Amino acid sequence: MFVEVALITLLRQLILIPVEGDTGHSGAWQGLGFYWMIIAAVLVVGIAYYLVSRRN
């Protein structure tokens, strides 16, 4: 269940990055590097979820 919550949280961040950019907020969310880091985290957590669910 923890892996599912982590995956949902990361996907939510991935969706909100472009929306937060439109409001004029700047900071840690700005930049293409952070966007790719979130995508990489989604992939890692997704693989972990697949391995855990396959084992059960």
Side-chain angles (χ1 to χ4, degrees), residues 15-51:
I15 293 169
L16 290 179
I17 288 172
V19 175
E20 289 178 351
D22 291 341
T23 61
H25 291 79
S26 61
W29 304 110
Q30 191 174 10
L32 192 57
F34 186 76
Y35 192 75
W36 284 110
M37 188 171 48
I38 293 291
I39 291 174
V42 167
L43 288 174
V44 168
V45 173
I47 291 170
Y49 175 74
Y50 172 74
L51 292 174

